[in-house]
């Protein structure tokens, strides 16, 4: 029997034995569903071990993406129990993701530029953000785009990690790992600033990255996140797109 593990206004997720079915609302765009499926397939093609896409179908008029079911707990659940024990695993897996690439994925810098130009913000701010983006290095690493504890699935045995993977690859791009880390930092900061600081410090240490370099990406990814129009993020993100604070 199918079990609902997530129910939202636009999509719901059901588990049926070893399969996960993401069912989209009738109002959901067909092109967005097919794009998510295509992006997931392209991430599979990088060689990264993720839950495989099995099929895309229409059931009762609703588009459905069926994938392998990733058994385990979300990292969000585990961090709530013991943040110190699992934040390193989060960073290590992100670094492993960044070692892969696929030239067919959407280019991160192009996507960020498009998102910035969609915003209703002062022209001089938009110009500064576009200028900063054009100056930052072009990379082609696999980036998740929404790498947060809710999208990381972990299997444990006696509190030891035996498997870890990530789901929801709709925002995956080829781009700069530090930009992806900056986005994760912002996500964590919304709920736990201390955890966010611990995460970004560990990412920089393990990748030998100067934190000032990651800081250069923060106004850009903050502006891009504003296009999602999430009320709970608006105040923080607007404060962070002041590029003068991140020189």
């Amino acid at each position: 029997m199918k079990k609902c593990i997530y129910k939202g206004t636009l999509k719901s997720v059901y588990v049926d034995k070893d399969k996960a079915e993401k069912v989209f609302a009738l109002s959901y765009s067909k092109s967005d569903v097919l794009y998510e499926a295509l992006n997931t397939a392209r991430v599979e093609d990088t060689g990264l071990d993720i839950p495989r896409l099995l099929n895309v179908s229409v059931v009762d008029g609703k588009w459905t993406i069926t994938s392998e079911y990733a058994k385990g707990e979300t990292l969000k659940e585990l961090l709530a129990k013991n943040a110190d024990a699992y934040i390193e695993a989060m960073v290590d897996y992100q670094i492993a993701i960044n070692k892969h690439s696929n030239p067919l994925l959407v280019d991160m810098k192009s996507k960020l530029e498009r998102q910035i130009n969609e915003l209703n913000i002062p022209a001089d701010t938009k110009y500064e953000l576009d200028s900063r983006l054009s100056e930052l290095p072009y990379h082609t690493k696999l980036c998740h785009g929404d790498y947060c504890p809710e999208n990381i699935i972990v299997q444990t045995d006696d509190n030891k990690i035996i498997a870890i993977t990530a789901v929801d690859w709709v925002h995956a791009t080829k781009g700069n790992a530090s930009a992806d880390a900056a986005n994760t930092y912002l996500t964590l900061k919304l709920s736990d600033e201390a955890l966010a600081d611990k995460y970004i410090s560990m990412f920089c240490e393990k990748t030998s990255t100067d934190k000032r370099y990651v800081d250069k990406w923060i106004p850009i990814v903050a502006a891009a996140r504003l296009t999602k129009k999430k009320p709970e993020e608006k105040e923080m993100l607007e404060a962070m797109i002041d590029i003068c604070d991140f020189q």
Side-chain angles (χ1 to χ4, degrees):
M1 180 179 291
K2 294 181 183 179
K3 176 184 177 183
C4 181
I5 60 172
Y6 171 80
K7 191 168 186 62
T9 55
L10 292 177
K11 62 190 78 172
S12 300
V13 179
Y14 299 86
V15 174
D16 185 7
K17 297 180 181 178
D18 58 349
K19 297 177 183 179
E21 297 178 0
K22 183 182 289 187
V23 181
F24 297 85
L26 289 170
S27 60
Y28 209 87
S29 164
K30 178 196 297 187
S31 61
D32 286 344
V33 174
L34 296 178
Y35 176 78
E36 178 170 343
L38 176 60
N39 235 25
T40 303
R42 285 177 170 168
V43 173
E44 283 185 51
D45 288 344
T46 69
L48 184 68
D49 186 14
I50 64 170
R52 292 185 304 120
L53 175 72
L54 298 176
N55 67 64
V56 181
S57 59
V58 180
V59 179
D60 296 329
K62 297 179 180 180
W63 285 92
T64 301
I65 294 177
T66 303
S67 304
E68 293 176 335
Y69 173 56
K71 296 179 181 178
E73 298 178 83
T74 67
L75 192 67
K76 181 179 180 179
E77 296 170 300
L78 294 172
L79 286 172
K81 299 174 185 177
N82 188 340
D84 290 337
Y86 296 105
I87 195 69
E88 185 171 9
M90 179 179 181
V91 173
D92 286 343
Y93 187 58
Q94 187 171 25
I95 293 171
I97 289 171
N98 297 151
K99 291 179 180 177
H100 296 261
S101 187
N102 185 337
L104 297 179
L105 286 166
V106 168
D107 175 67
M108 175 192 283
K109 291 189 77 172
S110 297
K111 181 178 180 179
L112 290 170
E113 181 180 19
R114 182 173 67 253
Q115 290 173 310
I116 289 169
N117 289 324
E118 288 176 10
L119 291 174
N120 182 22
I121 57 177
D124 57 342
T125 302
K126 191 174 291 189
Y127 174 78
E128 291 292 341
L129 290 167
D130 280 333
S131 297
R132 165 70 64 85
L133 178 59
S134 66
E135 293 168 358
L136 288 166
Y138 175 79
H139 291 174
T140 58
K141 296 177 180 178
L142 172 61
C143 295
H144 186 282
D146 191 17
Y147 191 72
C148 59
E150 292 90 336
N151 287 335
I152 304 166
I153 310 299
V154 181
Q155 279 186 272
T156 61
D157 183 12
D158 194 24
N159 294 322
K160 294 181 179 179
I161 295 175
I162 57 174
I164 184 168
T165 192
V167 296
D168 289 343
W169 290 91
V170 62
H171 301 295
T173 60
K174 57 179 179 183
N176 195 298
S178 292
D180 210 32
N183 188 58
T184 298
Y185 168 75
L186 292 182
T187 303
L188 294 173
K189 188 177 175 69
L190 285 163
S191 57
D192 190 332
E193 189 166 355
L195 182 64
D197 290 340
K198 184 177 295 186
Y199 157 79
I200 203 63
S201 294
M202 187 171 292
F203 177 88
C204 290
E205 179 182 350
K206 283 179 171 284
T207 58
S208 300
T209 302
D210 190 327
K211 188 176 180 296
R212 291 173 295 183
Y213 176 64
V214 179
D215 286 344
K216 289 181 180 294
W217 285 100
I218 287 178
I220 295 167
V221 298
R225 286 179 68 95
L226 276 172
T227 62
K228 297 181 178 181
K229 299 180 180 179
K230 294 184 176 181
E232 69 274 17
E233 297 188 2
K234 187 173 184 292
E235 183 178 356
M236 183 189 79
L237 296 178
E238 286 181 338
M240 288 191 163
I241 65 172
D242 186 349
I243 204 163
C244 295
D245 292 339
F246 294 90
Q247 296 293 343

